[in-house]
Amino acid sequence: MMFGSINSSGAIIDGIEKGEANDILLPNQSGRVQKVAVDIGGSLAKVVYLTSGPHSEGGRLHFTAFETDNVEKCATFIRSLLRTSETRGGGGRHGTDSLSDTEDAAADTAPVVVATGGGAHRFRDLLQRELGAEIRIEDEMESLTAGLNFLMREVADEVFTYSEDRPMQFVTTAAGDMFPYMLVNIGSGVSIIKVTGEGAYERISGTSLGGGTLWGLLHLLTGVQSFDAMLEMTKSGDNTKVDMMVGDIYGSNYDKIGLKATNIAATMAGVYRKSLGKQYSDADIARSLLYMVSNNIGQIAYLNAQLHGIRRIYFGGYFIRGHPLTMHTLSYAINFWSKGEMSALFLRHEGFLGATGAFFVDEQKQQRDTATVVSSSAASSPVSGSLLPEDLPREAAIRLSSSASEGPAAAVSPDLPGLRLPQRRRSSRKRQSAGPIASSHSQTPQPSQSQSQLQGPPRPRNDDSGTGTRTRTRTRTGGGSESRRSKAYSFTENFSITETIADDSISSLGMLDRQPAKLLALPQLVNTTADPYQPDTVDLSKNPEQQEYWITAMERNTRGMLDLADNGALANVDEAMRRKMTSFVALYSSHLCRLRERPLAYGPMSVRALLGLREQCLHEVGLEDIFAQVKSRETDAALMALPRMVEQTDRISNIAERLQVLVHNVLAGNMFDWGATDLRDGLADGSLDFEKARQKITWQPQFDNTSEFVEAVVGDSGSGSGSGSDSESGSDISRPRYRKAVVFVDNSGADVCLGVLPFARFLVSTVRSKVILAPNSRPALNDVTERELNDIVSRAARVDDVIARAVSSKQLVVCGTGSGGPCLDLRKLDERLVRHCRNADLVVIVGMGRAIHSNYRAKFTCDSLKLAVFKNKMAADAAHASIYDGLSLYVPSGN
C-alpha cells in the first residue's frame, strides 16, 4: 500500500507480518525521508515529513497523527522513516536535509527531528533515546502562525466557512490582505493568537475548556476511550434531552431579547428537573458537551476579536478534525454574537499547523545559518521554501520572527523592493548570479549537416528549462568550490493519494508536492479582496447537473485513453505500459466515485480540478507523458507545413486582414486537441486536417471581437501593405501598440506550429513586440512542454529567417509556466516567467482548458486576448454558445 510516496507494502513489524509490536520496517520504500517535524500536544501528536525520490528536485509533504498516550508508536513510526532513509542511500543525512541543500551535507551528519508543542519538552528525552537523533525544539506559537501563513499562501482552497445549510464555502484572501487575523488553536486547551504580520504575533487569550475538556468529561460520563468514537456518538445524539432549552423555561421564544425556544439556556441543566421528564442516552450527553465546549470557545473568540478590532478569525487545532457538527457550532456562535457580520474560518489542514510551521521555521533558521546574500542581482529569493510571501505589496516590509531579527543589519532583496531580509551569519556559502535570464535556444547544440533541417537538436545537457540556470558557488573548507542551482520552492496539493483527518471529516487531505520553482502570480493579474481572481469558470459543486456530466465525461474519457493504448494509437505500448494504464484507470476512477459521493472532498469541484487530478493520477502510476510519440509525430508533420503556411499569410498585403487570418488560424490549430473526446477519432485516423478544422469553427459576434483587436494593433496602418519578412526590421506599423506580449500556449503539433508560431512571428516582426511563449513545464495530454517548444522554435528558426532573427535577438523567448495540467492558475506561475512578464502589455491565452474552463473571467491590468474553441457541449451550454463556436475575446485594459 502507498501512503503518498511511502511504500508500506510488505511492512514488517518487529518480525511479525502486519502484527503489533514495537518496530516497523518498510522494505519496499524507496523515497528518501528528508525531514520530520512533530507537534506533540496534550491529546495528539501530529507528524509532518518530507520525502523525495533519488533523482527528484521536488518532494512531498505527508501528514499523519497519533494519540499522545501512544507517543511511543509515534516515535516508532518516525524511527522507521529515518531507518528506511538510511537504508535507501540517504547516508546519515536523514532529517538534516534542507529544502535547498538536499545534496550537500556530509554523510556522517546525525539525523534531526524538529519538535514543537508542550509534549516536545515533556518527551524530548524519550524521542532522543528512541530515535537516536538530535531533537530541535521550535516555539509553539511561532510554529502555529508560520504553519497557517504557509498553508494560506501555498495551498489552494485551504480556507472555508461552514454551516449545515451551506457546507464548505471556500474563501480567498489576497496576499496583501492576509493580516491582521486571529488564530484560535483548539487542542487540549485553547490559545488565541493575534497575528499582525510575518513573525509578528501575540498570544492574547485562551481558555482551559478545550478538546481535552470534552474528551475527559465524555470518558468519565460514557466510558468511551477514543476521540473519534466520541465524535461519532454526537451524530445521533439529541442535546435537547439533556440541556435546558429556552423553550423549557418560557414555553416559547423569548422574542424581546432575540432568543429562540431552541436556544440552549443551560447546558445539561435539563437532567435534574424531573418535571421535564427527559430521558437521555450517552449520545445525547456527547452532543450536549460538544455544544458546550464549542459555544464557549466561539463566544470567547468573538469577544477577543472585538477587543482587538480583528475581522478574520481562523479556527485550527486537531479538536476540529473536519467534524461537521463542531464547525457548525463554532460558526453559529460567531454568527450569533457578531449579528451576522463575521464568519468562522476553517482550514483543511487545521490539525497540522504546528508541525507544518515547525518544519519551515527550522528550515528558515538553517538557511539563515548557512547562506549569505552577496549579490543584489541574485536570480531568486535568498530564502528558499515558502515562508516569505512573494506577492505582498512592494512597499510593505515584512517582520520576521524575533529570532530572525537578531544579528547584522538587514539586506534588501533585489526581487522584492521593500522586503527586508536578515543577513545570514556564520556563512561559508555564497550565492552568485547567473546573469540575465534568456531562452537557451541560441545555445542549443546544432545538429550535424547530415541531419535534416527540421530534425530536433540534441537535448541540452544541463538545462531543460530553455531559460538558463541560476547558479551559486559553494565554497568548501580547504579550498575549491562547486557551482549548482540556487533553489526556491512552492507547494501544490496532490490528491492522487489522500488521507482524512478523521473518519467523518468532510474533506480529504492530499500530499503537498514541492515544485522545483517558486510559483508567483502573473504581475498583470487583477486579484484583490474586493475583486478576487477565480480561475474556474464553473463551480461544479454548486451545479449537480454539470457535476454528474463532467464526472461521467471523465470516466468515459479515461476509458477512451485505455482504448487508445489498446488500439496502438499511442505507439510503443508494451505490457508494462498496459499495466500502468490499467492502474491509472482504477486509481482515477476511484477518485471520481468518491467525488460523486462527496463533491467537496478535495475542495471546490471544477473542470480544472478534475483534469488536474487526472494528470496527478497518471504521474503517480509512472505514466509521465503517454502522448509523447503522438506529439512528436504531429509536430514533425506540422513543421513540414510551416513554410507553406508562412508563405500564404505573408502574401496577404493588407496588414489588418493578415492579422485577422493569423488569429483565426490560432483557433484552427487549437482544434488539434486529444483531450477533446468529440475530436479524438478524427485525430486518431488522420481525417482532421488544418483546413477542415478551420471550416469546422463557427463565429458568433458575442464571442468574436477579433476586429477590435486588429484595429488596436494596426491602427492607421491597417490598409498598408508589406510582408512580415521583407525588411530587416519587419515593421509595417507606424506606432506599435505592444512592446511585450506573453502567450500562454496549448497543444503541440498543428496548434503551436501552424497557429501560435505564425501569430508570434507577426508580433515580433510587424508589431515589433517581444514575445514570451509560455507552455507547460510538465506534460499533460498533448499539451506542448517547455522542452518541446524550445526544440520546435529552434527547428522553425532553421527554415524561417524572421523567427531566426527573433530568437537570436531574444525577441522570441520560451519560458515554462511551472504547471503540468490542461488548465491554468495564473496565481501560480514559475518565477522565471513572472520576471519575463514584467512590463508586458498584452496577455494572450490559448486553448479551451486555459481560456474557457479556466480564466474565462480573468481580468488584467493590460490588454488581453483569449483564443479558444468550444469543443465540449456542456462547456458551450454554460456560456450560451454552440459546440465549435470560436472564442476570440479581446479586452482592453481597464475593461
Side-chain angles (χ1 to χ4, degrees):
M1 185 174 184
M2 294 290 295
F3 291 92
S5 60
I6 296 295
N7 187 347
S8 64
S9 60
I12 301 172
I13 307 180
D14 214 15
I16 304 174
E17 189 84 11
K18 297 186 179 178
E20 290 189 7
N22 292 328
D23 209 356
I24 303 172
L25 302 178
L26 305 175
N28 297 319
Q29 163 60 18
S30 59
R32 181 179 171 203
V33 177
Q34 294 182 273
K35 179 179 285 191
V36 180
V38 58
D39 174 13
I40 309 177
S43 304
L44 295 159
K46 290 77 67 178
V47 180
V48 172
Y49 55 98
L50 176 72
T51 63
S52 69
H55 305 292
S56 173
E57 283 193 306
R60 180 170 287 181
L61 280 181
H62 308 256
F63 306 88
T64 191
F66 301 83
E67 291 185 2
T68 300
D69 284 347
N70 297 321
V71 71
E72 292 84 0
K73 287 187 178 180
C74 177
T76 298
F77 176 78
I78 296 173
R79 183 170 68 240
S80 71
L81 296 178
L82 298 179
R83 287 183 177 177
T84 301
S85 179
E86 184 175 23
T87 302
R88 296 295 169 183
R93 191 74 204 284
H94 301 310
T96 60
D97 288 350
S98 72
L99 293 177
S100 57
D101 298 322
T102 55
E103 305 93 342
D104 286 345
D108 58 354
T109 305
V112 173
V113 173
V114 185
T116 190
H121 302 276
R122 177 184 172 191
F123 296 109
R124 183 173 190 166
D125 291 342
L126 180 147
L127 292 174
Q128 286 181 327
R129 182 177 66 253
E130 292 292 319
L131 301 179
E134 176 188 351
I135 308 299
R136 291 184 185 145
I137 305 296
E138 296 296 347
D139 178 75
E140 182 176 7
M141 300 303 157
E142 181 180 10
S143 297
L144 286 169
T145 57
L148 177 52
N149 292 342
F150 165 81
L151 290 168
M152 284 196 292
R153 280 196 306 270
E154 295 292 330
V155 181
D157 305 313
E158 174 68 20
V159 180
F160 62 93
T161 61
Y162 184 89
S163 64
E164 288 181 344
D165 57 335
R166 299 189 69 200
M168 294 195 80
Q169 303 296 305
F170 292 90
V171 177
T172 300
T173 300
D177 295 329
M178 277 177 56
F179 307 106
Y181 65 80
M182 196 171 78
L183 169 62
V184 182
N185 191 62
I186 313 173
S188 300
V190 180
S191 287
I192 299 177
I193 308 166
K194 179 175 73 172
V195 183
T196 55
E198 292 292 332
Y201 59 88
E202 176 188 3
R203 186 183 189 275
I204 55 176
S205 186
T207 175
S208 61
L209 300 181
T213 306
L214 178 64
W215 200 336
L217 288 175
L218 280 178
H219 175 66
L220 288 172
L221 294 173
T222 68
V224 176
Q225 296 289 333
S226 80
F227 198 19
D228 283 329
M230 293 174 186
L231 292 177
E232 183 66 25
M233 287 174 57
T234 65
K235 291 181 181 179
S236 58
D238 182 356
N239 70 296
T240 64
K241 296 180 179 179
V242 178
D243 297 337
M244 182 181 291
M245 315 303 289
V246 169
D248 293 333
I249 301 174
Y250 294 98
S252 62
N253 296 340
Y254 190 172
D255 294 327
K256 188 173 182 179
I257 60 174
L259 293 177
K260 298 178 180 179
T262 54
N263 289 144
I264 300 171
T267 298
M268 302 196 77
V271 299
Y272 78 92
R273 290 189 57 183
K274 295 181 180 180
S275 61
L276 296 177
K278 295 196 176 188
Q279 301 295 318
Y280 53 87
S281 65
D282 286 351
D284 302 329
I285 294 172
R287 196 174 186 103
S288 171
L289 291 178
L290 177 64
Y291 281 164
M292 179 190 74
V293 171
S294 299
N295 280 322
N296 180 70
I297 294 170
Q299 184 175 10
I300 292 174
Y302 169 73
L303 293 174
N304 274 281
Q306 286 293 97
L307 182 63
H308 292 271
I310 294 174
R311 302 289 301 171
R312 284 190 290 273
I313 307 174
Y314 295 93
F315 288 88
Y318 213 72
F319 167 76
I320 301 172
R321 308 184 77 172
H323 187 240
L325 189 57
T326 304
M327 294 188 293
H328 173 75
T329 308
L330 291 167
S331 294
Y332 180 86
I334 297 299
N335 183 72
F336 178 85
W337 292 109
S338 70
K339 295 180 171 56
E341 294 184 2
M342 297 172 64
S343 298
L345 300 172
F346 300 100
L347 305 144
R348 291 194 299 109
H349 292 82
E350 73 220 345
F352 296 95
L353 300 184
T356 302
F359 187 101
F360 287 104
V361 168
D362 177 79
E363 182 69 25
Q364 190 181 41
K365 289 180 179 178
Q366 299 312 305
Q367 291 167 11
R368 203 162 48 235
D369 288 342
T370 58
T372 299
V373 179
V374 296
S375 172
S376 62
S377 61
S380 64
S381 174
V383 178
S384 301
S386 304
L387 287 177
L388 297 180
E390 300 279 1
D391 46 0
L392 286 176
R394 294 188 177 277
E395 66 274 9
I398 297 176
R399 285 188 58 190
L400 297 174
S401 63
S402 56
S403 61
S405 63
E406 299 170 0
V412 178
S413 164
D415 293 331
L416 300 171
L419 171 62
R420 303 190 68 80
L421 303 175
Q423 289 190 354
R424 276 54 169 169
R425 297 168 292 169
R426 302 186 299 279
S427 171
S428 63
R429 299 179 183 179
K430 295 183 178 180
R431 192 177 301 269
Q432 187 179 68
S433 171
I437 298 174
S439 175
S440 64
H441 322 136
S442 55
Q443 287 87 37
T444 301
Q446 295 298 313
S448 64
Q449 290 188 2
S450 61
Q451 292 175 291
S452 166
Q453 278 189 306
L454 293 176
Q455 181 179 341
R459 291 181 176 180
R461 292 181 58 189
N462 298 321
D463 180 25
D464 62 354
S465 67
T467 53
T469 55
R470 302 181 298 274
T471 63
R472 73 174 178 188
T473 300
R474 175 173 174 262
T475 304
R476 299 185 183 274
T477 304
S481 65
E482 66 175 9
S483 179
R484 56 183 296 263
R485 289 189 183 187
S486 66
K487 298 177 182 175
Y489 295 96
S490 287
F491 288 79
T492 56
E493 194 163 12
N494 186 327
F495 288 104
S496 59
I497 296 176
T498 61
E499 295 182 4
T500 56
I501 295 179
D503 291 340
D504 62 347
S505 175
I506 61 174
S507 66
S508 298
L509 301 182
M511 306 299 113
L512 296 186
D513 283 351
R514 186 181 70 188
Q515 305 301 321
K518 188 68 179 173
L519 302 180
L520 307 174
L522 181 72
Q524 293 78 10
L525 180 67
V526 174
N527 183 26
T528 64
T529 301
D531 192 5
Y533 165 71
Q534 173 51 258
D536 301 311
T537 304
V538 178
D539 184 350
L540 302 182
S541 53
K542 296 179 180 179
N543 190 320
E545 180 185 358
Q546 288 220 21
Q547 181 185 124
E548 178 59 29
Y549 169 86
W550 281 107
I551 290 178
T552 302
M554 290 297 106
E555 290 171 334
R556 186 172 64 252
N557 187 281
T558 301
R559 290 192 297 269
M561 292 172 65
L562 189 59
D563 291 340
L564 287 175
D566 290 338
N567 297 334
L570 300 182
N572 291 343
V573 179
D574 55 15
E575 189 57 35
M577 182 175 177
R578 290 180 189 277
R579 286 196 299 268
K580 290 180 180 179
M581 287 292 295
T582 302
S583 297
F584 154 69
V585 172
L587 177 61
Y588 188 46
S589 297
S590 69
H591 285 292
L592 294 175
C593 287
R594 181 179 303 169
L595 289 170
R596 183 175 267 121
E597 296 173 0
R598 295 164 51 206
L600 296 170
Y602 304 160
M605 188 193 296
S606 64
V607 178
R608 178 175 63 96
L610 292 175
L611 292 173
L613 177 59
R614 181 181 64 189
E615 297 306 315
Q616 291 174 347
C617 290
L618 281 167
H619 297 165
E620 194 68 31
V621 302
L623 294 170
E624 295 296 328
D625 194 358
I626 62 173
F627 283 88
Q629 296 201 40
V630 173
K631 291 189 289 183
S632 177
R633 183 174 63 247
E634 291 186 349
T635 294
D636 289 345
L639 283 174
M640 292 297 294
L642 176 63
R644 181 167 52 87
M645 177 69 71
V646 168
E647 182 183 0
Q648 288 176 350
T649 53
D650 279 353
R651 281 204 301 264
I652 303 173
S653 59
N654 184 284
I655 301 174
E657 182 182 342
R658 188 193 317 158
L659 178 55
Q660 178 133 348
V661 169
L662 290 168
V663 170
H664 286 187
N665 280 353
V666 173
L667 274 70
N670 195 240
M671 293 284 282
F672 291 78
D673 182 0
W674 283 81
T677 305
D678 293 335
L679 294 173
R680 186 177 290 167
D681 290 343
L683 292 171
D685 62 23
S687 61
L688 182 68
D689 60 29
F690 198 84
E691 187 57 36
K692 287 181 181 178
R694 184 159 39 195
Q695 293 173 1
K696 205 173 184 70
I697 299 171
T698 53
W699 301 96
Q700 306 297 334
Q702 64 268 38
F703 303 114
D704 176 27
N705 64 346
T706 308
S707 59
E708 294 181 28
F709 173 69
V710 170
E711 183 179 356
V713 172
V714 304
D716 296 334
S717 306
S719 60
S721 62
S723 167
S725 60
D726 62 358
S727 68
E728 188 65 29
S729 68
S731 175
D732 298 305
I733 295 179
S734 56
R735 293 188 298 276
R737 181 181 179 97
Y738 301 116
R739 293 169 298 173
K740 184 191 292 187
V742 54
V743 182
F744 293 94
V745 303
D746 190 6
N747 303 306
S748 191
D751 189 345
V752 71
C753 296
L754 304 181
V756 171
L757 261 185
F759 174 71
R761 178 180 179 273
F762 177 90
L763 293 179
V764 296
S765 62
T766 305
V767 185
R768 289 183 292 177
S769 299
K770 179 172 183 176
V771 175
I772 301 103
L773 299 178
N776 270 3
S777 296
R778 300 179 300 280
L781 291 180
N782 67 317
D783 291 2
V784 68
T785 65
E786 181 176 11
R787 178 189 290 275
E788 292 163 346
L789 188 51
N790 270 318
D791 178 19
I792 289 169
V793 171
S794 294
R795 294 165 67 185
R798 296 177 202 146
V799 296
D800 186 87
D801 290 340
V802 174
I803 295 176
R805 286 196 299 269
V807 170
S808 177
S809 63
K810 297 183 174 59
Q811 285 297 105
L812 182 62
V813 174
V814 175
C815 187
T817 61
S819 64
C823 299
L824 188 62
D825 185 343
L826 294 171
R827 298 167 300 187
K828 291 181 172 290
L829 301 177
D830 191 308
E831 62 178 343
R832 300 170 303 133
L833 176 60
V834 170
R835 287 194 196 93
H836 277 302
C837 290
R838 289 174 183 170
N839 302 319
D841 44 14
L842 176 64
V843 173
V844 182
I845 305 178
V846 179
M848 186 168 70
R850 291 163 181 78
I852 293 178
H853 292 323
S854 61
N855 299 304
Y856 187 69
R857 299 188 182 93
K859 299 177 183 178
F860 304 94
T861 59
C862 66
D863 291 4
S864 64
L865 179 65
K866 297 168 186 175
L867 301 173
V869 179
F870 289 96
K871 292 168 283 191
N872 174 275
K873 188 176 185 307
M874 182 60 78
D877 289 345
H880 305 290
S882 299
I883 193 166
Y884 303 130
D885 275 353
L887 176 73
S888 180
L889 185 61
Y890 167 67
V891 181
S893 61
N895 287 16

